[in-house]
Amino acid sequence: EAGVAQSPRYKIIEKRQSVAFWCNPISGHATLYWYQQILGQGPKLLIQFQNNGVVDDSQLPKDRFSAERLKGVDSTLKIQPAKLEDSAVYLCASSFLSSSSYNEQFFGPGTRLTVL
Amino acid sequence: RKEVEQDPGPFNVPEGATVAFNCTYSNSASQSFFWYRQDCRKEPKLLMSVYSSGNEDGRFTAQLNRASQYISLLIRDSKLSDSATYLCVVTSGNTPLVFGKGTRLSVIA
């Protein structure tokens, strides 16, 4: 079974530039998550989608970050403009359902962003 | 107080040793608990869930103490391949997963 796909794997940009990341979840997974993992930290949830609706974006810095999942399948996360502190690995994860019970989240390989 | 706290380590242990990690959480309403493993420059992967009665999977044993709000992971007979960062994860049902910073383990030959 194919896992969660992400691209690009690496990206280097200068501060104030824009960048976009793409994620394709495991087929049939209704729930998609974007996490930010800064070096030496655990992943922090940025946004959670169920199908094409946002479930939780309380930790998304909405002044510069945006995400969409228009058709309820793949998703893009954009940063505009980027700051130095955005340097991190951006992980996408998906799970079969999101309900009151836990469903295992499967992570993609991540996109490593360096902002200079 | 951070929601999930772990000793970052590193824990450097010889092959064959037994090592234990602890994790504390602040939200008493937390319902589900997990240990994830993350290899260097790789994505996190679920290692095991943690049940109230404690659970074992081969060389790995996870325990939960709700009264003291801590979770533990015990690894027996450590292998070189166990070298990784172990992330403690907590959720309150349908709320987002909250990850600790992770504990780094290095198993040395």
Side-chain angles (χ1 to χ4, degrees):
Chain A
E1 179 182 289
V4 176
Q6 289 189 247
S7 67
R9 293 295 309 276
Y10 304 91
K11 190 74 178 178
I12 301 173
I13 61 172
E14 294 188 349
K15 59 183 179 184
R16 291 189 288 274
Q17 285 187 322
S18 302
V19 64
F21 313 128
W22 175 82
C23 171
N24 193 27
I26 292 172
S27 178
H29 280 194
T31 308
L32 184 148
Y33 313 79
W34 283 103
Y35 289 87
Q36 180 193 58
Q37 186 172 23
I38 292 171
L39 187 65
Q41 308 278 323
K44 184 186 84 170
L45 181 71
L46 293 175
I47 189 166
Q48 176 184 341
F49 292 94
Q50 180 146 346
N51 297 309
N52 60 351
V54 175
V55 173
D56 186 337
D57 64 356
S58 57
Q59 298 190 90
L60 187 73
K62 297 179 186 64
D63 57 335
R64 298 183 302 105
F65 286 65
S66 64
E68 59 184 18
R69 194 186 183 199
L70 294 176
K71 297 183 179 178
V73 181
D74 55 349
S75 174
T76 55
L77 175 70
K78 296 179 182 177
I79 308 175
Q80 179 181 13
K83 293 186 175 180
L84 296 177
E85 59 261 36
D86 298 332
S87 294
V89 176
Y90 290 85
L91 294 160
C92 179
S94 69
S95 63
F96 183 61
L97 286 172
S98 175
S99 66
S100 59
S101 61
Y102 172 73
N103 287 272
E104 181 178 351
Q105 294 183 23
F106 295 86
F107 285 82
T111 296
R112 186 174 299 272
L113 174 67
T114 302
V115 182
L116 302 175
Chain B
R1 182 182 172 187
K2 290 190 175 13
E3 286 192 71
V4 179
E5 293 204 64
Q6 295 181 251
D7 180 346
F11 284 63
N12 299 313
V13 303
E15 273 188 291
T18 295
V19 62
F21 310 135
N22 287 331
C23 162
T24 58
Y25 60 95
S26 60
N27 185 354
S28 59
S30 298
Q31 296 178 6
S32 301
F33 311 89
F34 312 92
W35 285 100
Y36 272 70
R37 170 190 169 129
Q38 186 169 27
D39 292 300
C40 188
R41 293 183 168 264
K42 298 286 190 181
E43 70 273 20
K45 292 184 179 177
L46 179 64
L47 177 66
M48 59 196 306
S49 302
V50 187
Y51 303 122
S52 296
S53 54
N55 49 301
E56 189 174 309
D57 183 2
R59 298 180 294 106
F60 297 82
T61 301
Q63 299 215 309
L64 167 64
N65 184 320
R66 285 188 185 272
S68 301
Q69 294 183 203
Y70 82 77
I71 308 143
S72 65
L73 177 68
L74 182 79
I75 306 175
R76 289 181 300 278
D77 188 23
S78 299
K79 311 289 185 194
L80 294 176
S81 56
D82 294 334
S83 297
T85 296
Y86 292 84
L87 299 162
C88 175
V89 186
V90 172
T91 181
S92 303
N94 58 357
T95 56
L97 297 183
V98 179
F99 286 78
K101 290 185 177 182
T103 298
R104 194 151 49 95
L105 171 66
S106 289
V107 182
I108 305 160

